[in-house]
Amino acid sequence: MSINTTNNINGINNAFNAYKNTLKPDNKVKKEDERKDVKETKSAEKNEQTKKAGNYGKTIGNAKLSKEGAKYYEELKKKFGNMDFILVSADMKEKAQANAGAFANPSKMVVLIDEEKIEKMATDETFRAQYEGLIEKAAANLTQLKTSMDNSGQSSNILGYGLQLKDDGEISYFAVLRKSAEAQKEHIEKVVEKHQAEKKAAAKKAEKEAAEERLRPEDTVFIQADSIEELMQKVSEYNFTDRSDAVQTEQELQVGQSIDFKG
């Protein structure tokens, strides 16, 4: 065999080996990705199987978390210690805000977060960073709104602010307001009237009951918006209308006025 032929064969072998070497890393990465996917799937399935109800603090619905999810949820609450977290079960996500008024907190902003997001945040670092970033952004926005409302003298009837983390990576803001003093007075009088025929002790009990019921859902107004600017506008509009109604005559009120808070 001539030297040239030998060199050609060696050249072909070297080229083929080089080509095989370029394939190995891709195959290796592909196999590693497949193993990672299987591991994550098994982890998710295991978490789903081990989820259980526990003492997670304030909740809406029958919220359940896996051991890993519960551990992360406690870490999240500690990280944002100036916020009041409420864990929402998966089947109550759409109805959570309707129940948020009961958790209005004048000293802390309320955060509605569902169990599904907590589970994913516990295992997915990218997802966790995204939603923790949303919480930080919302906290800054609500602080700015609260300051603005305080400075403009519109905060006297505001019981608290909050947010709900949505599935599309967006935030829904809300405010819980106390209805006008006149509306509350009417409610209290009705409760007291109910007990007028009872003994003096019972009447005192009725007055105490009336005072305790001042923050019932029917005595509050829930306003929701998809942005801080929208929420500020809706709260201002409500306060303006509430003040206007307070000085209108009964005949004027019967004409009928309403504000659409659906946005």
Side-chain angles (χ1 to χ4, degrees):
M1 183 178 294
S2 65
I3 295 176
N4 288 337
T5 301
T6 301
N7 288 340
N8 288 339
I9 293 173
N10 290 337
I12 292 171
N13 288 335
N14 290 337
F16 181 71
N17 288 332
Y19 173 72
K20 285 198 300 183
N21 288 335
T22 62
L23 294 179
K24 287 180 180 178
D26 288 342
N27 289 335
K28 184 177 180 181
V29 170
K30 184 178 179 181
K31 289 180 179 178
E32 287 178 352
D33 288 342
E34 289 175 349
R35 285 196 293 268
K36 183 179 178 182
D37 290 341
V38 171
K39 184 178 180 180
E40 289 180 350
T41 300
K42 289 183 177 179
S43 177
E45 290 175 349
K46 183 179 179 181
N47 283 344
E48 188 64 31
Q49 292 170 357
T50 58
K51 284 172 65 174
K52 60 181 181 179
N55 184 18
Y56 306 125
K58 298 177 182 178
T59 60
I60 295 177
N62 186 26
K64 296 180 180 179
L65 293 175
S66 66
K67 184 177 180 180
E68 191 171 11
K71 181 174 181 285
Y72 169 70
Y73 186 49
E74 289 304 313
E75 294 172 355
L76 181 68
K77 289 192 289 185
K78 288 179 181 178
K79 182 173 183 177
F80 297 96
N82 61 332
M83 307 187 84
D84 193 12
F85 281 81
I86 300 174
L87 185 63
V88 182
S89 61
D91 62 328
M92 290 293 289
K93 285 194 293 184
E94 300 301 322
K95 302 177 182 178
Q97 286 195 356
N99 295 275
F103 298 101
N105 191 330
S107 59
K108 287 187 176 183
M109 298 169 193
V110 173
V111 180
L112 301 178
I113 186 166
D114 61 84
E115 59 189 7
E116 292 175 330
K117 289 185 183 62
I118 291 296
E119 291 293 349
K120 190 168 183 180
M121 291 169 76
T123 57
D124 187 326
E125 292 183 5
T126 301
F127 189 82
R128 180 191 311 166
Q130 177 190 359
Y131 275 84
E132 286 188 359
L134 287 175
I135 295 172
E136 290 178 358
K137 174 185 175 182
N141 288 340
L142 286 172
T143 298
Q144 183 180 0
L145 172 62
K146 186 177 185 302
T147 300
S148 177
M149 288 298 176
D150 289 343
N151 292 339
S152 62
Q154 298 188 64
S155 61
S156 60
N157 66 331
I158 298 177
L159 299 173
Y161 299 97
L163 64 107
Q164 182 172 10
L165 298 168
K166 300 164 69 175
D167 291 341
D168 58 2
E170 297 294 331
I171 307 167
S172 177
Y173 298 94
F174 62 84
V176 180
L177 285 70
R178 180 186 288 108
K179 284 185 179 179
S180 67
E182 286 298 318
Q184 289 191 61
K185 181 180 178 182
E186 182 181 348
H187 166 66
I188 294 172
E189 287 174 350
K190 287 181 179 179
V191 175
V192 173
E193 285 176 6
K194 187 176 64 174
H195 299 276
Q196 278 184 343
E198 299 180 4
K199 296 180 180 180
K200 189 176 180 180
K204 288 184 178 180
K205 180 181 179 183
E207 291 180 4
K208 182 180 179 182
E209 176 186 304
E212 292 174 346
E213 289 179 346
R214 288 182 183 180
L215 295 184
R216 299 190 316 172
E218 54 264 42
D219 293 326
T220 61
V221 177
F222 183 85
I223 300 177
Q224 182 272 335
D226 291 327
S227 70
I228 281 294
E229 294 78 13
E230 184 185 11
L231 184 61
M232 182 182 294
Q233 179 182 349
K234 288 182 176 181
V235 171
S236 297
E237 287 176 350
Y238 175 83
N239 283 336
F240 176 79
T241 303
D242 192 46
R243 287 194 298 269
S244 298
D245 289 347
V247 298
Q248 285 180 317
T249 65
E250 184 178 349
Q251 289 76 14
E252 289 174 322
L253 291 173
Q254 288 176 351
V255 173
Q257 293 186 359
S258 64
I259 299 175
D260 181 12
F261 290 130
K262 294 181 179 178

